């Protein structure tokens, strides 16, 4: 039971739970954005009639295909994807590249196995090849 408690209290599980809750709330927000702002905007652009995509459908041999509902979900997916990319992925990629730039000043690659090692290392931890620290290399 102690191992399960430790598992539940790890930071990753708590962060995942927060992410799921925020994601669900965010999904509702984007669905409202599509239904309350984007759909009326499309209606304004296409002639003043506000379309209700959910009602769009066609019937083949008695089977009804509700492609309008699919369009609503597609718009929601595209909006969520765009917002997640521009507000989370792009800034995190930039932040990681800035942090990696600072990392490059303190690490180097082993010439034998290409593992990242400290710049002042005398031996590679992965392949145990002997190295000359950067500070002792001739300029």
């Amino acid at each position: 039971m102690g191992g399960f408690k430790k598992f539940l209290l790890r930071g990753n599980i708590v962060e995942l739970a927060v992410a799921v809750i925020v994601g669900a709330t965010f999904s509702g927000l984007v669905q409202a954005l599509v239904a309350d702002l984007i759909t009326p905007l499309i209606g304004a652009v296409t002639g003043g009639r506000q379309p209700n995509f959910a009602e769009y459908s066609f019937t083949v041999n008695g089977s009804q295909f509700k492609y309008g509902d699919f369009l609503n979900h597609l718009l929601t997916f595209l909006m969520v994807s765009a917002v997640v990319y521009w507000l989370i992925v792009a800034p995190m990629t930039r932040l990681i590249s800035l942090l990696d730039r600072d990392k490059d000043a303190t690490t180097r690659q082993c010439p034998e196995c290409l593992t990242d090692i400290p710049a002042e290392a005398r031996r590679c931890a992965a392949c145990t090849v002997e190295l000359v620290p950067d500070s002792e290399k001739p300029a």
Side-chain angles (χ1 to χ4, degrees):
M1 199 64 177
F4 184 67
K5 181 179 176 183
K6 184 178 177 182
F7 170 75
L8 288 178
L9 295 178
R10 277 193 343 202
N12 295 345
I13 295 297
V14 174
E15 291 170 5
L16 179 61
V18 169
V20 168
I21 292 167
V22 169
T25 304
F26 183 71
S27 175
L29 177 69
V30 173
Q31 286 177 353
L33 175 71
V34 169
D36 299 336
L37 297 175
I38 302 299
T39 304
L41 180 65
I42 292 171
V45 170
T46 60
R49 184 176 158 263
Q50 181 175 335
N52 184 0
F53 293 134
E55 295 175 359
Y56 290 3
S57 65
F58 64 91
T59 305
V60 175
N61 290 335
S63 295
Q64 187 175 20
F65 295 88
K66 298 180 180 183
Y67 69 93
D69 190 46
F70 174 75
L71 288 176
N72 278 338
H73 288 287
L74 179 64
L75 280 173
T76 301
F77 171 76
L78 292 174
M79 301 245 346
V80 168
S81 299
V83 169
V84 166
Y85 178 78
W86 290 109
L87 294 181
I88 297 172
V89 174
M92 284 302 293
T93 303
R94 181 167 165 79
L95 178 64
I96 289 171
S97 70
L98 290 174
L99 293 175
D100 281 347
R101 185 180 64 195
D102 294 339
K103 177 185 162 194
D104 290 341
T106 60
T107 63
R108 63 182 170 148
Q109 281 191 335
C110 172
E112 294 293 322
C113 68
L114 302 178
T115 302
D116 285 337
I117 56 172
E120 296 301 314
R122 294 185 180 277
R123 187 175 293 271
C124 177
C127 68
T128 69
V129 69
E130 289 189 34
L131 304 165
V132 177
D134 286 347
S135 62
E136 296 178 12
K137 287 184 179 177

